[in-house]
Amino acid sequence: MDFWRATTLEEQIDTALGQQEADLVLKGGRVFNVFLKTWEEADVAISGNKIVGIGEYSGKQEVDVAGLYLTPGLMDAHVHFESSMLSPREMVKVLLLNGVTGAIADPHEITNVLGEEGFKFMLEETANMPFSAYLMVPSCVPATDMDTSGARISAEDMERLRKLSPRVLGLAEMMNFPGVLYKQQGEMDKLKLFYKQKVDGHAPGITGKQLNAYVASGITTEHECVTPAEAWEKVKRGMYVFLREGSAAHNLVDLLPLVKKPGNRRLCLCTDDRHADDLIEQGSINYLLEIGVAQGYAPEDLIPLATLNIAECYGLQQTGALAPGFVADIAVFENLQTFQPVHVVKGGALVVKNRKLLWKSEPVLRAPGQSMNMPAVTAGSFRIPARPGRRLRVIGISQTQLLTTKLHLEPTVRNGEAVSDTERDILKMAVCERHHNTGNIGLGFGFGFGLKKGAIATTVGHDSHNLSVVGTNDEDMAVAVNRLREIGGGQVVACDGEVKATVPLAIAGLMSDRDAVAVNAQIKQLDFWLRELGVPEEYSAFMILAFASLPVIPELRLTDRGLVDVVRFEHVDLWCE
């Protein structure tokens, strides 16, 4: 692949005037004007990494795009690369094939596991690529003190991280919104440190004066809105609201009516957490555009949410539009229904041509070290003695939202122990601490996983990424946990005392060091066994399990230290009256 060459300002002006040939010209396409939401048939002339002209031009390299639709390269307003389970470089390959040329990434997951080393790993791995990967400094490492993370990042540490690169734009999602509202010193120190930079939000459900206070603190984005009313109030208070469609959280369709409101310049698209198989088979931000068009919304109203609006939100100058002086990030589509790009230009270089990726790279340049530090377990590690006359606090799982509900249910008791009940879909869960060899195991129950046999386990467990397991029996739970301990983390399905399928995640127990094709094949094997063990096809069991330990989203969660009532923000007993 030929990367762009450096050009002078004088060369760019001469090329714009037509006095010298452009480096690259996309000839005769339908060019989208994101400012006016209109289309124009014209050539796009590129000199170096910049667009210098829209009109009629000739170039050293010309690509015929007659009849095709040219938009700015798509962007993702908020994404955790780690959630794809692909290394950053492998994920970027998939994103480029889907017309996504930039993203605002929060390396919150790997930083919670490896600390500063994890943040630096993500910064290094995303350098020198035909992709704009901007990083936000994780604000919550750990997310709370309700569980055990692998590292702690203080405001003093953040001061070092934010100076590492111009690609570090600000402070990532402030999940501890109660800490902001109660003016906890640690949260105040972080906000004051980043007061001149962008600060992302994470405050589902807050309203009224609490919302005013949250925004007054300097936080200006939100990706956790569930209802249009909540999202619209946040737009009215000056926030950028991100319409999210991930592998577990599906908020896009519910929030799309906001696109018709006059405040749509404050709306952006994001995926947040998206698995490799969904990225490969459905797409990324381009898939969100497809959903919007299928719901009856005009592509002209949707494309700005994936381009200029995001650039303006994060202060990315000369990005997000097809106009002279803007960076030449361009996606070329055959139609405005499927949004599968034919060609992609990044920084003036043709990186996808005729749907084939031209950029090559090894999956990982430098892998970090081992991240599993926990003892082996036995079936006895998960035994829960029954308490006569007491009910269980059970986590009510949603298959479409990250929110859970608090359920009080009668236990199923066998031999004096509370056990899983597949008939009622009440399954035993456990979260095992994996960073510091504490031996902590939090025990609980979940309703709504759909598993009829065996057990599944994962070291992807937001946000501290301890090892989470759910199963129909203690023996298979132990088999699953011990396999992940042996292979350094990943995802596993076990049944009848045997491991049926695994996805090894050698990078911090979060990401694979294999290529995307190999990872997708492993995920397919995992999915096959999920269906064999009774999980309905529409259920994202591993993604749901990964979020079941996140003690910042209501209502009930399980950590290595036990059950957490997120509304009350305190640990609660498994048993209740």
Side-chain angles (χ1 to χ4, degrees):
M1 187 188 84
D2 294 327
F3 281 97
W4 55 87
R5 68 181 184 90
T7 55
T8 65
L9 178 60
E10 288 79 6
E11 286 180 288
Q12 292 175 11
I13 292 173
D14 285 344
T15 306
L17 290 170
Q19 294 175 356
Q20 69 177 47
E21 282 191 319
D23 291 323
L24 172 65
V25 176
L26 304 180
K27 296 287 292 182
R30 298 164 180 170
V31 181
F32 184 61
N33 187 313
V34 71
F35 307 111
L36 303 178
K37 299 183 180 181
T38 58
W39 299 90
E40 174 186 1
E41 288 199 12
D43 302 338
V44 177
I46 298 166
S47 176
N49 69 340
K50 293 287 184 68
I51 296 171
V52 294
I54 308 292
E56 186 175 345
Y57 288 91
S58 61
K60 301 167 187 173
Q61 181 184 9
E62 296 185 350
V63 178
D64 183 5
V65 293
L68 303 180
Y69 297 85
L70 279 62
T71 76
L74 306 181
M75 298 185 70
D76 194 329
H78 173 73
V79 62
H80 303 280
F81 277 13
E82 304 97 312
S83 294
S84 71
M85 298 191 296
L86 299 172
S87 68
R89 303 181 83 79
E90 282 301 298
M91 184 175 179
V92 162
K93 292 175 186 177
V94 178
L95 293 178
L96 289 172
L97 285 167
N98 285 284
V100 181
T101 58
I104 315 299
D106 174 7
H108 174 88
E109 321 303 345
I110 195 169
T111 307
N112 261 285
V113 176
L114 299 178
E116 289 190 43
E117 179 190 353
F119 185 88
K120 292 175 181 177
F121 168 82
M122 296 298 282
L123 196 59
E124 292 166 5
E125 291 290 307
T126 54
N128 301 316
M129 296 189 300
F131 188 87
S132 295
Y134 300 99
L135 270 61
M136 306 294 281
V137 176
S139 68
C140 298
V141 180
T144 73
D145 288 324
M146 297 290 178
D147 58 357
T148 307
S149 68
R152 302 188 76 88
I153 299 293
S154 65
E156 183 179 345
D157 300 325
M158 293 177 184
E159 173 72 11
R160 289 193 300 274
L161 296 181
R162 76 185 185 98
K163 294 179 178 179
L164 289 176
S165 169
R167 291 192 291 117
V168 179
L169 298 183
L171 188 62
E173 50 185 314
M174 289 292 293
M175 290 182 290
N176 185 10
F177 65 86
V180 175
L181 299 179
Y182 293 131
K183 305 181 295 297
Q184 292 177 356
Q185 190 59 52
E187 307 312 301
M188 296 300 99
D189 290 344
K190 297 170 191 174
L191 290 170
K192 290 174 183 177
L193 179 63
F194 287 89
Y195 78 102
K196 288 186 177 181
Q197 293 178 274
K198 199 69 181 179
V199 181
D200 285 333
H202 182 293
I206 68 167
T207 185
K209 290 184 177 178
Q210 286 190 333
L211 175 59
N212 288 337
Y214 194 66
V215 177
S217 74
I219 299 168
T220 56
T221 75
E222 177 62 270
H223 63 275
E224 291 290 342
C225 294
V226 174
T227 67
E230 175 191 356
W232 184 237
E233 182 181 3
K234 289 177 175 175
V235 169
K236 287 196 295 184
R237 295 297 172 258
M239 299 189 87
Y240 279 89
V241 168
F242 300 166
L243 282 60
R244 172 179 60 185
E245 188 74 12
S247 288
H250 306 283
N251 308 122
L252 178 63
V253 172
D254 290 338
L255 299 181
L256 274 173
L258 295 175
V259 172
K260 293 296 185 181
K261 288 181 174 287
N264 58 23
R265 288 293 294 273
R266 308 293 283 191
L267 303 178
C268 304
L269 296 181
C270 82
T271 62
D272 198 1
D273 298 284
R274 199 151 173 78
H275 272 171
D277 53 341
D278 289 336
L279 283 170
I280 292 169
E281 295 174 13
Q282 296 175 337
S284 174
I285 293 297
N286 59 323
Y287 178 62
L288 276 63
L289 293 177
E290 291 177 13
I291 292 174
V293 171
Q295 291 289 318
Y297 293 86
E300 294 81 5
D301 290 330
L302 296 169
I303 294 169
L305 277 63
T307 54
L308 185 62
N309 290 11
I310 297 173
E312 290 181 340
C313 175
Y314 286 96
L316 304 174
Q317 300 297 318
Q318 299 178 317
T319 301
L322 302 184
F326 277 71
V327 175
D329 296 346
I330 306 170
V332 182
F333 299 103
E334 187 173 17
N335 60 65
L336 298 177
Q337 288 79 44
T338 59
F339 284 96
Q340 191 61 46
V342 179
H343 311 298
V344 178
V345 174
K346 171 59 193 170
L350 196 61
V351 294
V352 174
K353 184 176 183 180
N354 295 322
R355 298 185 172 89
K356 294 191 181 298
L357 184 67
L358 303 182
W359 177 60
K360 307 295 181 184
S361 171
E362 293 296 318
V364 182
L365 300 183
R366 179 191 63 84
Q370 171 64 250
S371 65
M372 294 292 288
N373 184 24
M374 62 174 288
V377 301
T378 66
S381 303
F382 307 118
R383 300 272 156 79
I384 301 176
R387 293 191 191 177
R390 296 290 192 96
R391 291 185 295 170
L392 291 167
R393 285 187 172 92
V394 177
I395 301 173
I397 302 298
S398 167
Q399 293 296 333
T400 59
Q401 303 291 347
L402 298 184
L403 298 171
T404 64
T405 55
K406 292 182 286 187
L407 304 176
H408 295 172
L409 303 176
E410 293 293 330
T412 297
V413 178
R414 187 179 305 122
N415 298 325
E417 297 177 0
V419 298
S420 294
D421 185 338
T422 56
E423 292 297 319
R424 293 193 293 158
D425 200 7
I426 301 172
L427 302 182
K428 186 179 290 186
M429 301 170 57
V431 178
C432 308
E433 193 277 323
R434 72 168 173 106
H435 307 296
H436 307 293
N437 203 31
T438 64
N440 289 352
I441 299 179
L443 297 173
F445 286 86
F447 169 78
F449 279 99
L451 195 66
K452 299 300 182 186
K453 294 176 62 180
I456 64 173
T458 178
T459 51
V460 178
H462 302 281
D463 281 317
S464 290
H465 297 288
N466 287 304
L467 195 160
S468 299
V469 59
V470 61
T472 63
N473 64 87
D474 297 343
E475 290 73 20
D476 284 336
M477 290 172 68
V479 169
V481 169
N482 285 329
R483 174 54 63 92
L484 292 185
R485 176 178 174 269
E486 294 165 2
I487 66 174
Q491 296 186 334
V492 63
V493 175
C495 186
D496 297 330
E498 296 181 355
V499 172
K500 300 298 184 181
T502 60
V503 180
L505 301 176
I507 304 172
L510 301 175
M511 295 173 283
S512 174
D513 57 2
R514 302 283 303 279
D515 64 71
V517 174
V519 176
N520 194 40
Q522 292 170 342
I523 292 173
K524 289 302 177 190
Q525 188 72 2
L526 211 66
D527 286 343
F528 170 82
W529 279 105
L530 282 178
R531 309 315 162 207
E532 287 290 298
L533 301 185
V535 178
E537 187 172 352
E538 65 272 17
Y539 283 21
S540 298
F542 277 100
M543 184 66 86
I544 294 298
L545 181 59
F547 279 99
S549 58
L550 178 57
V552 296
I553 298 181
E555 293 181 326
L556 192 63
R557 304 283 159 167
L558 179 65
T559 77
D560 68 300
R561 298 180 185 177
L563 281 175
V564 176
D565 184 322
V566 181
V567 177
R568 292 157 54 183
F569 213 61
E570 63 184 22
H571 285 287
V572 293
D573 195 83
L574 173 61
W575 300 92
C576 60
E577 297 292 338

